[in-house]
Amino acid sequence: MVQLKRMSRADIPAVAEIEKLSFADPWSEQTIADSFDNENSIWLAGYESDGTLTSYLGGVCVAGEAEIYRVACHPDKRRGGFAEGLVLLMEALEEVETIYLEVRASNAPARALYEKCWFEVCGERRAYYENPTEDAILMRWEPGEGQHRCES
C-alpha cells in the first residue's frame, strides 16, 4: 500500500537519488535541502508500506499561488499513479488556490498527466530548458466544476 503525504527532511537523500535517475539536469542534495527549508515550500512524497520513498513533488506556495518545480518517480514505479496522486494531493491542500508549472514541450507523458489533473496551457517560454535546449509549455490549475478539494 502506498502512502502520500508531506515529505520529511530525512527523505532528501532519497529524492536526490531519484533526481539523478529522472532528469538530465538533476538538482543536487543541497539544492533540494535549500528548497525544502524555504518556509513557503511544499514537498510531498509517495512511500511504499515499508517506508521507502518512491516518488516526490516539490514546489512552493505564496499567498495561495503555488508553483510545481519537480515531480518524479523512481523508474521502477513509473506509470503506477504516484505522480498523479501527488499532483492531486497538492491541488487538495487548503493553502493552494492556483498552481503553475513549466513542462518540456516534448514531454508528452507529463503533459498528459497534468491535463488529466485539470491543468490548462497558459503560455510558452522559448528555449527555456537546456540539456537539450527546448521550449517550455506553461500550465495553470485552478479549482473548477467537477473537481473536489480535500481538507488536509
Side-chain angles (χ1 to χ4, degrees):
M1 174 175 225
V2 175
Q3 184 177 28
L4 303 174
K5 63 181 183 177
R6 289 197 186 250
M7 192 180 98
S8 77
R9 194 170 210 298
D11 293 321
I12 292 172
V15 168
E17 287 304 311
I18 294 173
E19 277 278 316
K20 291 175 193 171
L21 297 170
S22 301
F23 296 104
D25 57 345
W27 282 13
S28 69
E29 197 169 316
Q30 186 60 55
T31 300
I32 297 163
D34 291 345
S35 175
F36 185 87
D37 290 340
N38 177 325
E39 67 182 45
N40 297 310
S41 73
I42 295 175
W43 282 86
L44 308 171
Y47 303 87
E48 293 285 357
S49 57
D50 67 0
T52 302
L53 186 140
T54 60
S55 53
Y56 63 90
L57 177 153
V60 65
C61 185
V62 177
E65 190 171 285
E67 183 174 356
I68 294 176
Y69 295 148
R70 304 299 259 195
V71 179
C73 294
H74 189 281
D76 295 341
K77 302 296 180 181
R78 290 185 184 149
R79 308 272 188 257
F82 297 101
E84 179 181 355
L86 291 170
V87 171
L88 294 173
L89 178 57
M90 185 171 190
E91 290 174 358
L93 295 176
E94 194 173 301
E95 68 264 32
V96 173
E97 297 170 11
T98 304
I99 305 172
Y100 294 91
L101 59 84
E102 292 103 7
V103 61
R104 283 184 181 270
S106 67
N107 193 342
R111 290 176 64 181
L113 163 71
Y114 297 131
E115 288 170 4
K116 185 177 181 181
C117 294
W118 304 293
F119 279 78
E120 295 181 351
V121 173
C122 63
E124 181 179 11
R125 291 195 174 128
R126 298 260 182 225
Y128 179 78
Y129 289 104
E130 298 176 356
N131 198 18
T133 300
E134 187 172 353
D135 296 345
I137 302 298
L138 305 176
M139 301 185 84
R140 176 182 59 234
W141 170 86
E142 294 178 308
E145 190 173 328
Q147 301 177 38
H148 39 108
R149 304 275 302 233
C150 302
E151 293 183 25
S152 58

PDB file of all heavy atoms in Angstrom, residues 102-125:
ATOM      1  N   GLU A 102       5.974  24.616 -15.439  1.00  0.00           N
ATOM      2  CA  GLU A 102       6.535  24.536 -16.773  1.00  0.00           C
ATOM      3  C   GLU A 102       6.831  23.075 -17.064  1.00  0.00           C
ATOM      4  O   GLU A 102       7.233  22.342 -16.166  1.00  0.00           O
ATOM      5  CB  GLU A 102       7.861  25.312 -16.896  1.00  0.00           C
ATOM      6  CG  GLU A 102       7.733  26.804 -16.793  1.00  0.00           C
ATOM      7  CD  GLU A 102       8.174  27.323 -15.431  1.00  0.00           C
ATOM      8  OE1 GLU A 102       8.704  26.541 -14.625  1.00  0.00           O
ATOM      9  OE2 GLU A 102       7.978  28.515 -15.179  1.00  0.00           O
ATOM     10  N   VAL A 103       6.647  22.673 -18.309  1.00  0.00           N
ATOM     11  CA  VAL A 103       6.945  21.305 -18.717  1.00  0.00           C
ATOM     12  C   VAL A 103       7.580  21.360 -20.104  1.00  0.00           C
ATOM     13  O   VAL A 103       7.220  22.209 -20.924  1.00  0.00           O
ATOM     14  CB  VAL A 103       5.670  20.420 -18.694  1.00  0.00           C
ATOM     15  CG1 VAL A 103       4.605  20.935 -19.637  1.00  0.00           C
ATOM     16  CG2 VAL A 103       5.989  18.966 -18.957  1.00  0.00           C
ATOM     17  N   ARG A 104       8.539  20.481 -20.346  1.00  0.00           N
ATOM     18  CA  ARG A 104       9.170  20.431 -21.666  1.00  0.00           C
ATOM     19  C   ARG A 104       8.106  20.183 -22.739  1.00  0.00           C
ATOM     20  O   ARG A 104       7.233  19.338 -22.561  1.00  0.00           O
ATOM     21  CB  ARG A 104      10.211  19.318 -21.741  1.00  0.00           C
ATOM     22  CG  ARG A 104      11.515  19.652 -21.053  1.00  0.00           C
ATOM     23  CD  ARG A 104      12.539  18.520 -21.271  1.00  0.00           C
ATOM     24  NE  ARG A 104      13.779  18.838 -20.599  1.00  0.00           N
ATOM     25  CZ  ARG A 104      14.782  19.508 -21.163  1.00  0.00           C
ATOM     26  NH1 ARG A 104      14.701  19.884 -22.422  1.00  0.00           N
ATOM     27  NH2 ARG A 104      15.877  19.772 -20.479  1.00  0.00           N
ATOM     28  N   ALA A 105       8.218  20.896 -23.833  1.00  0.00           N
ATOM     29  CA  ALA A 105       7.253  20.755 -24.927  1.00  0.00           C
ATOM     30  C   ALA A 105       7.173  19.309 -25.425  1.00  0.00           C
ATOM     31  O   ALA A 105       6.107  18.834 -25.807  1.00  0.00           O
ATOM     32  CB  ALA A 105       7.605  21.701 -26.070  1.00  0.00           C
ATOM     33  N   SER A 106       8.305  18.592 -25.395  1.00  0.00           N
ATOM     34  CA  SER A 106       8.337  17.215 -25.899  1.00  0.00           C
ATOM     35  C   SER A 106       7.901  16.177 -24.869  1.00  0.00           C
ATOM     36  O   SER A 106       7.780  14.998 -25.209  1.00  0.00           O
ATOM     37  CB  SER A 106       9.757  16.868 -26.363  1.00  0.00           C
ATOM     38  OG  SER A 106      10.627  16.834 -25.242  1.00  0.00           O
ATOM     39  N   ASN A 107       7.642  16.581 -23.635  1.00  0.00           N
ATOM     40  CA  ASN A 107       7.322  15.616 -22.580  1.00  0.00           C
ATOM     41  C   ASN A 107       5.828  15.288 -22.589  1.00  0.00           C
ATOM     42  O   ASN A 107       5.061  15.719 -21.729  1.00  0.00           O
ATOM     43  CB  ASN A 107       7.767  16.157 -21.216  1.00  0.00           C
ATOM     44  CG  ASN A 107       7.750  15.096 -20.140  1.00  0.00           C
ATOM     45  OD1 ASN A 107       7.114  14.060 -20.281  1.00  0.00           O
ATOM     46  ND2 ASN A 107       8.451  15.368 -19.049  1.00  0.00           N
ATOM     47  N   ALA A 108       5.433  14.504 -23.589  1.00  0.00           N
ATOM     48  CA  ALA A 108       4.021  14.152 -23.762  1.00  0.00           C
ATOM     49  C   ALA A 108       3.430  13.425 -22.554  1.00  0.00           C
ATOM     50  O   ALA A 108       2.302  13.729 -22.152  1.00  0.00           O
ATOM     51  CB  ALA A 108       3.830  13.334 -25.034  1.00  0.00           C
ATOM     52  N   PRO A 109       4.147  12.478 -21.917  1.00  0.00           N
ATOM     53  CA  PRO A 109       3.553  11.820 -20.751  1.00  0.00           C
ATOM     54  C   PRO A 109       3.254  12.802 -19.603  1.00  0.00           C
ATOM     55  O   PRO A 109       2.193  12.725 -18.981  1.00  0.00           O
ATOM     56  CB  PRO A 109       4.608  10.790 -20.334  1.00  0.00           C
ATOM     57  CG  PRO A 109       5.383  10.517 -21.577  1.00  0.00           C
ATOM     58  CD  PRO A 109       5.415  11.833 -22.313  1.00  0.00           C
ATOM     59  N   ALA A 110       4.170  13.730 -19.335  1.00  0.00           N
ATOM     60  CA  ALA A 110       3.935  14.701 -18.260  1.00  0.00           C
ATOM     61  C   ALA A 110       2.789  15.637 -18.616  1.00  0.00           C
ATOM     62  O   ALA A 110       1.928  15.933 -17.784  1.00  0.00           O
ATOM     63  CB  ALA A 110       5.200  15.501 -17.968  1.00  0.00           C
ATOM     64  N   ARG A 111       2.750  16.078 -19.853  1.00  0.00           N
ATOM     65  CA  ARG A 111       1.659  16.972 -20.278  1.00  0.00           C
ATOM     66  C   ARG A 111       0.317  16.264 -20.150  1.00  0.00           C
ATOM     67  O   ARG A 111      -0.672  16.847 -19.697  1.00  0.00           O
ATOM     68  CB  ARG A 111       1.904  17.464 -21.696  1.00  0.00           C
ATOM     69  CG  ARG A 111       3.086  18.447 -21.740  1.00  0.00           C
ATOM     70  CD  ARG A 111       3.424  18.882 -23.123  1.00  0.00           C
ATOM     71  NE  ARG A 111       2.318  19.642 -23.727  1.00  0.00           N
ATOM     72  CZ  ARG A 111       2.353  20.114 -24.952  1.00  0.00           C
ATOM     73  NH1 ARG A 111       3.405  19.913 -25.724  1.00  0.00           N
ATOM     74  NH2 ARG A 111       1.335  20.789 -25.437  1.00  0.00           N
ATOM     75  N   ALA A 112       0.261  14.985 -20.534  1.00  0.00           N
ATOM     76  CA  ALA A 112      -0.980  14.218 -20.406  1.00  0.00           C
ATOM     77  C   ALA A 112      -1.386  14.081 -18.940  1.00  0.00           C
ATOM     78  O   ALA A 112      -2.572  14.189 -18.604  1.00  0.00           O
ATOM     79  CB  ALA A 112      -0.818  12.845 -21.052  1.00  0.00           C
ATOM     80  N   LEU A 113      -0.398  13.855 -18.069  1.00  0.00           N
ATOM     81  CA  LEU A 113      -0.685  13.774 -16.633  1.00  0.00           C
ATOM     82  C   LEU A 113      -1.306  15.077 -16.146  1.00  0.00           C
ATOM     83  O   LEU A 113      -2.337  15.063 -15.467  1.00  0.00           O
ATOM     84  CB  LEU A 113       0.603  13.481 -15.852  1.00  0.00           C
ATOM     85  CG  LEU A 113       0.544  13.770 -14.353  1.00  0.00           C
ATOM     86  CD1 LEU A 113      -0.338  12.767 -13.645  1.00  0.00           C
ATOM     87  CD2 LEU A 113       1.937  13.803 -13.753  1.00  0.00           C
ATOM     88  N   TYR A 114      -0.694  16.199 -16.466  1.00  0.00           N
ATOM     89  CA  TYR A 114      -1.198  17.479 -15.976  1.00  0.00           C
ATOM     90  C   TYR A 114      -2.575  17.786 -16.547  1.00  0.00           C
ATOM     91  O   TYR A 114      -3.448  18.292 -15.840  1.00  0.00           O
ATOM     92  CB  TYR A 114      -0.203  18.598 -16.285  1.00  0.00           C
ATOM     93  CG  TYR A 114       1.121  18.404 -15.587  1.00  0.00           C
ATOM     94  CD1 TYR A 114       2.313  18.500 -16.282  1.00  0.00           C
ATOM     95  CD2 TYR A 114       1.177  18.098 -14.231  1.00  0.00           C
ATOM     96  CE1 TYR A 114       3.531  18.302 -15.647  1.00  0.00           C
ATOM     97  CE2 TYR A 114       2.392  17.893 -13.595  1.00  0.00           C
ATOM     98  CZ  TYR A 114       3.564  18.000 -14.304  1.00  0.00           C
ATOM     99  OH  TYR A 114       4.762  17.797 -13.677  1.00  0.00           O
ATOM    100  N   GLU A 115      -2.796  17.450 -17.805  1.00  0.00           N
ATOM    101  CA  GLU A 115      -4.129  17.662 -18.386  1.00  0.00           C
ATOM    102  C   GLU A 115      -5.167  16.789 -17.679  1.00  0.00           C
ATOM    103  O   GLU A 115      -6.283  17.226 -17.428  1.00  0.00           O
ATOM    104  CB  GLU A 115      -4.097  17.391 -19.888  1.00  0.00           C
ATOM    105  CG  GLU A 115      -3.352  18.472 -20.645  1.00  0.00           C
ATOM    106  CD  GLU A 115      -3.074  18.131 -22.096  1.00  0.00           C
ATOM    107  OE1 GLU A 115      -3.525  17.059 -22.583  1.00  0.00           O
ATOM    108  OE2 GLU A 115      -2.396  18.945 -22.755  1.00  0.00           O
ATOM    109  N   LYS A 116      -4.793  15.569 -17.335  1.00  0.00           N
ATOM    110  CA  LYS A 116      -5.688  14.674 -16.593  1.00  0.00           C
ATOM    111  C   LYS A 116      -6.039  15.267 -15.230  1.00  0.00           C
ATOM    112  O   LYS A 116      -7.119  15.028 -14.700  1.00  0.00           O
ATOM    113  CB  LYS A 116      -5.017  13.309 -16.429  1.00  0.00           C
ATOM    114  CG  LYS A 116      -5.871  12.260 -15.784  1.00  0.00           C
ATOM    115  CD  LYS A 116      -5.136  10.931 -15.739  1.00  0.00           C
ATOM    116  CE  LYS A 116      -5.992   9.853 -15.117  1.00  0.00           C
ATOM    117  NZ  LYS A 116      -5.280   8.568 -15.049  1.00  0.00           N
ATOM    118  N   CYS A 117      -5.115  16.037 -14.676  1.00  0.00           N
ATOM    119  CA  CYS A 117      -5.311  16.679 -13.360  1.00  0.00           C
ATOM    120  C   CYS A 117      -5.843  18.111 -13.508  1.00  0.00           C
ATOM    121  O   CYS A 117      -5.677  18.926 -12.614  1.00  0.00           O
ATOM    122  CB  CYS A 117      -3.996  16.671 -12.581  1.00  0.00           C
ATOM    123  SG  CYS A 117      -3.425  15.019 -12.129  1.00  0.00           S
ATOM    124  N   TRP A 118      -6.474  18.405 -14.643  1.00  0.00           N
ATOM    125  CA  TRP A 118      -7.178  19.673 -14.888  1.00  0.00           C
ATOM    126  C   TRP A 118      -6.282  20.886 -15.095  1.00  0.00           C
ATOM    127  O   TRP A 118      -6.726  22.018 -14.913  1.00  0.00           O
ATOM    128  CB  TRP A 118      -8.205  19.961 -13.800  1.00  0.00           C
ATOM    129  CG  TRP A 118      -9.211  18.880 -13.620  1.00  0.00           C
ATOM    130  CD1 TRP A 118     -10.170  18.514 -14.507  1.00  0.00           C
ATOM    131  CD2 TRP A 118      -9.350  18.017 -12.500  1.00  0.00           C
ATOM    132  NE1 TRP A 118     -10.908  17.474 -14.000  1.00  0.00           N
ATOM    133  CE2 TRP A 118     -10.422  17.137 -12.763  1.00  0.00           C
ATOM    134  CE3 TRP A 118      -8.667  17.883 -11.295  1.00  0.00           C
ATOM    135  CZ2 TRP A 118     -10.830  16.171 -11.874  1.00  0.00           C
ATOM    136  CZ3 TRP A 118      -9.076  16.913 -10.408  1.00  0.00           C
ATOM    137  CH2 TRP A 118     -10.135  16.078 -10.699  1.00  0.00           C
ATOM    138  N   PHE A 119      -5.035  20.701 -15.493  1.00  0.00           N
ATOM    139  CA  PHE A 119      -4.189  21.840 -15.852  1.00  0.00           C
ATOM    140  C   PHE A 119      -4.507  22.245 -17.283  1.00  0.00           C
ATOM    141  O   PHE A 119      -4.834  21.390 -18.115  1.00  0.00           O
ATOM    142  CB  PHE A 119      -2.705  21.483 -15.756  1.00  0.00           C
ATOM    143  CG  PHE A 119      -2.149  21.541 -14.362  1.00  0.00           C
ATOM    144  CD1 PHE A 119      -2.396  20.521 -13.456  1.00  0.00           C
ATOM    145  CD2 PHE A 119      -1.361  22.617 -13.957  1.00  0.00           C
ATOM    146  CE1 PHE A 119      -1.881  20.569 -12.174  1.00  0.00           C
ATOM    147  CE2 PHE A 119      -0.834  22.665 -12.675  1.00  0.00           C
ATOM    148  CZ  PHE A 119      -1.105  21.649 -11.783  1.00  0.00           C
ATOM    149  N   GLU A 120      -4.377  23.535 -17.567  1.00  0.00           N
ATOM    150  CA  GLU A 120      -4.581  24.054 -18.914  1.00  0.00           C
ATOM    151  C   GLU A 120      -3.342  24.822 -19.350  1.00  0.00           C
ATOM    152  O   GLU A 120      -2.686  25.469 -18.532  1.00  0.00           O
ATOM    153  CB  GLU A 120      -5.795  24.979 -18.954  1.00  0.00           C
ATOM    154  CG  GLU A 120      -7.094  24.254 -18.664  1.00  0.00           C
ATOM    155  CD  GLU A 120      -8.304  25.170 -18.717  1.00  0.00           C
ATOM    156  OE1 GLU A 120      -8.134  26.404 -18.806  1.00  0.00           O
ATOM    157  OE2 GLU A 120      -9.423  24.639 -18.677  1.00  0.00           O
ATOM    158  N   VAL A 121      -3.048  24.771 -20.634  1.00  0.00           N
ATOM    159  CA  VAL A 121      -1.922  25.524 -21.192  1.00  0.00           C
ATOM    160  C   VAL A 121      -2.249  27.014 -21.091  1.00  0.00           C
ATOM    161  O   VAL A 121      -3.355  27.442 -21.429  1.00  0.00           O
ATOM    162  CB  VAL A 121      -1.656  25.122 -22.652  1.00  0.00           C
ATOM    163  CG1 VAL A 121      -0.605  26.027 -23.281  1.00  0.00           C
ATOM    164  CG2 VAL A 121      -1.233  23.659 -22.725  1.00  0.00           C
ATOM    165  N   CYS A 122      -1.272  27.796 -20.612  1.00  0.00           N
ATOM    166  CA  CYS A 122      -1.498  29.240 -20.475  1.00  0.00           C
ATOM    167  C   CYS A 122      -0.349  30.062 -21.071  1.00  0.00           C
ATOM    168  O   CYS A 122      -0.342  31.282 -20.953  1.00  0.00           O
ATOM    169  CB  CYS A 122      -1.735  29.624 -19.020  1.00  0.00           C
ATOM    170  SG  CYS A 122      -0.356  29.305 -17.914  1.00  0.00           S
ATOM    171  N   GLY A 123       0.633  29.407 -21.704  1.00  0.00           N
ATOM    172  CA  GLY A 123       1.725  30.154 -22.308  1.00  0.00           C
ATOM    173  C   GLY A 123       2.862  29.246 -22.728  1.00  0.00           C
ATOM    174  O   GLY A 123       2.764  28.020 -22.662  1.00  0.00           O
ATOM    175  N   GLU A 124       3.936  29.892 -23.162  1.00  0.00           N
ATOM    176  CA  GLU A 124       5.113  29.176 -23.647  1.00  0.00           C
ATOM    177  C   GLU A 124       6.347  30.027 -23.366  1.00  0.00           C
ATOM    178  O   GLU A 124       6.283  31.256 -23.400  1.00  0.00           O
ATOM    179  CB  GLU A 124       4.956  28.948 -25.148  1.00  0.00           C
ATOM    180  CG  GLU A 124       6.069  28.206 -25.799  1.00  0.00           C
ATOM    181  CD  GLU A 124       5.822  28.008 -27.291  1.00  0.00           C
ATOM    182  OE1 GLU A 124       4.894  28.635 -27.844  1.00  0.00           O
ATOM    183  OE2 GLU A 124       6.559  27.226 -27.891  1.00  0.00           O
ATOM    184  N   ARG A 125       7.454  29.374 -23.082  1.00  0.00           N
ATOM    185  CA  ARG A 125       8.747  30.054 -22.937  1.00  0.00           C
ATOM    186  C   ARG A 125       9.700  29.428 -23.933  1.00  0.00           C
ATOM    187  O   ARG A 125      10.039  28.248 -23.818  1.00  0.00           O
ATOM    188  CB  ARG A 125       9.281  29.905 -21.509  1.00  0.00           C
ATOM    189  CG  ARG A 125       8.476  30.683 -20.513  1.00  0.00           C
ATOM    190  CD  ARG A 125       9.213  30.832 -19.191  1.00  0.00           C
ATOM    191  NE  ARG A 125       8.448  31.714 -18.336  1.00  0.00           N
ATOM    192  CZ  ARG A 125       8.078  31.437 -17.106  1.00  0.00           C
ATOM    193  NH1 ARG A 125       8.410  30.292 -16.548  1.00  0.00           N
ATOM    194  NH2 ARG A 125       7.382  32.301 -16.400  1.00  0.00           N
TER     195      ARG A 125
END
